[in-house]
């Protein structure tokens, strides 16, 4: 038997979304190895249970599995209720689930899928868990963005690509939204013991975008795959932001390769961030907290 107390994340409860595959799974695994009590969130009960079982068998901290299709606000709200009931403290929330869809899909709520899953889901889940994170402080919110943020533009006139949809445009917008959300959250958390940071994981060999890939993706990914990072390498920055003791006070930053980086000029526009926050609160029916 190992002595759990010697591990750096012992006693920490960490929620990881999109933990059934790719970067999220490796993130959950890595943090469990560091002694964290990991809560893996997946949309498919079988895959999620199997992931939890495998991480548990690798032997370290406690692992629990919870299910929700995060593109559904009803399921997301139930999940948040279940988490708040089950866990008196949540030390780290890792908003990792996300994807790319080449053609326009809508969710159960009638929202464009990329915007709903990549942006509104982390926005809503974080807000629903925020008080518990604050009570658990020092706590951390980690959101997986992408270098695609640099090409993003928030089109308030057509946020959901109803007039013109492109998978790349929707994805880039959602990853810029991850940063605007993170920076606005950081401003709102000022003076509290909760940090908010975002990251680019690198180009990682995962199942990313496989549900509805574009032509370029179908052609390029098999060629690029040998040069991509492994999922363990791709999880390194998420794990670093979630756990590094020297980042306890660091907030409102964008990381790549475990190092703070400047993000696009657009991501630092506080007026856009505030507007996106308000629009997102309206779209998710979040009660304004001021
Ligand atoms: N791979 C890269 O090179 C790369 C680069 C930059 C940024 N990223 C970002 O990294 C994050 C993780 O991506 P990945 O590459 O690991 O992709 P992935 O292999 O496709 O994994 C995505 C995870 O999200 C889950 N998920 C998808 N839709 C969901 C939904 N509606 N509700 C709940 N969970 C859902 C998936 O669950 P299932 O098992 O059920 O499918 C899976 O666990 C994403 O935010 C992505 O934008 C990736």
């Amino acid at each position: 038997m190992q002595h759990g107390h010697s591990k750096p994340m012992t006693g920490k409860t960490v929620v990881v979304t999109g933990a059934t595959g790719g970067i999220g799974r490796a993130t959950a695994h890595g943090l469990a190895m560091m002694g964290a009590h990991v809560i893996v969130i997946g949309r498919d009960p079988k895959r999620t249970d199997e992931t939890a079982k495998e991480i548990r068998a690798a032997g370290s901290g406690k692992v629990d599995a919870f299910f929700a299709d995060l593109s559904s606000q009803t399921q997301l709200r139930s999940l948040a209720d279940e988490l708040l009931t089950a866990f008196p403290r949540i030390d780290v929330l890792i908003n990792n689930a996300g994807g790319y869809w080449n053609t326009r899909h809508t969710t159960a709520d009638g929202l464009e899928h990329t915007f709903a899953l990549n942006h509104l889901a982390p926005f809503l889940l974080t807000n629903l868990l925020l008080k518990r994170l604050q009570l658990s402080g020092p706590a951390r919110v980690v959101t997986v963005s992408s270098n695609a943020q640099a090409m993003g533009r928030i089109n308030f006139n057509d946020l959901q690509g109803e007039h013109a949809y492109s998978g790349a445009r929707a994805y880039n917008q959602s990853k810029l939204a991850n940063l605007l959300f993170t920076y606005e959250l950081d401003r709102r958390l000022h003076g509290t013991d909760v940090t908010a940071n975002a990251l680019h994981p690198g180009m990682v060999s995962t199942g990313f975008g496989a549900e509805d890939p574009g032509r370029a993706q179908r052609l390029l990914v098999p060629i690029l795959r040998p040069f991509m990072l492994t999922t363990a390498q791709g999880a390194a920055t998420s794990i670093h932001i979630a756990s590094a003791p020297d980042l306890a006070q660091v907030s409102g930053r964008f990381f790549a390769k475990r190092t703070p980086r400047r993000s696009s000029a657009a991501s630092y526009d506080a007026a856009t961030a505030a507007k996106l926050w308000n629009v997102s609160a309206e779209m998710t029916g979040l009660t304004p907290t001021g």
Side-chain angles (χ1 to χ4, degrees), residues 18 20-21 23 43 47 69-70 96 144-145 171 175 202 204 206-207:
T20 47
I23 297 161
R43 61 180 159 170
R47 271 202 299 281
D69 178 339
L70 296 172
N96 166 83
V144 182
S145 174
Y171 183 70
K175 293 292 141 179
V204 189
T206 67

Side-chain angles (χ1 to χ4, degrees), residues 80-100:
D81 285 345
E82 287 168 24
L83 294 176
L84 292 172
T85 303
F87 305 109
R89 54 180 304 123
I90 298 173
D91 302 278
V92 182
L93 167 63
I94 304 186
N95 291 311
N96 166 83
Y100 175 99

Side-chain angles (χ1 to χ4, degrees), residues 22-244:
I23 297 161
R25 188 182 181 120
T27 302
H29 188 275
L31 288 164
M33 294 304 106
M34 293 167 77
H37 171 191
V38 174
I39 298 148
V40 298
I41 313 287
R43 61 180 159 170
D44 180 275
K46 192 161 171 274
R47 271 202 299 281
T48 314
D49 276 336
E50 276 168 11
T51 302
K53 213 165 144 190
E54 190 195 284
I55 297 175
R56 215 175 283 129
S60 198
K62 209 168 157 239
V63 186
D64 285 305
F66 284 75
F67 322 114
D69 178 339
L70 296 172
S71 72
S72 154
Q73 292 181 17
T74 309
Q75 289 195 30
L76 191 155
R77 283 178 180 278
S78 303
L79 168 74
D81 285 345
E82 287 168 24
L83 294 176
L84 292 172
T85 303
F87 305 109
R89 54 180 304 123
I90 298 173
D91 302 278
V92 182
L93 167 63
I94 304 186
N95 291 311
N96 166 83
Y100 175 99
W101 289 269
N102 189 49
T103 53
R104 191 174 188 278
H105 301 258
T106 50
T107 66
D109 304 314
L111 299 168
E112 190 280 308
H113 203 291
T114 321
F115 191 72
L117 179 67
N118 293 10
H119 167 63
L120 291 177
F123 172 84
L124 182 58
L125 185 61
T126 304
N127 274 292
L128 293 174
L129 300 181
L130 202 53
K131 273 209 186 87
R132 184 61 48 88
L133 285 155
Q134 277 169 334
L135 289 170
S136 313
R140 306 180 188 204
V141 178
V142 180
T143 300
V144 182
S145 174
S146 164
N147 269 353
Q149 54 85 22
M151 294 173 285
R153 187 176 152 257
I154 307 294
N155 184 358
F156 284 108
N157 294 323
D158 191 19
L159 269 182
Q160 300 187 59
E162 284 164 295
H163 299 296
Y165 181 86
S166 121
R169 215 181 302 137
Y171 183 70
N172 299 344
Q173 172 179 261
S174 74
K175 293 292 141 179
L176 172 59
N178 289 157
L179 284 182
L180 290 160
F181 161 66
T182 296
Y183 297 159
E184 177 66 20
L185 180 64
D186 168 58
R187 284 186 281 275
R188 287 169 179 247
L189 287 171
H190 190 74
T192 73
D193 215 359
V194 183
T195 63
N197 291 294
L199 68 123
H200 168 61
M203 200 166 66
V204 189
S205 180
T206 67
F208 179 75
E211 265 178 25
D212 177 11
R215 204 174 112 81
Q217 208 175 344
R218 272 200 305 270
L219 293 172
L220 284 176
V221 169
I223 298 167
L224 293 175
R225 211 173 273 289
F227 305 101
M228 291 180 177
L229 301 178
T230 64
T231 53
Q233 290 168 327
T237 302
S238 296
I239 292 172
H240 180 66
I241 303 174
S243 65

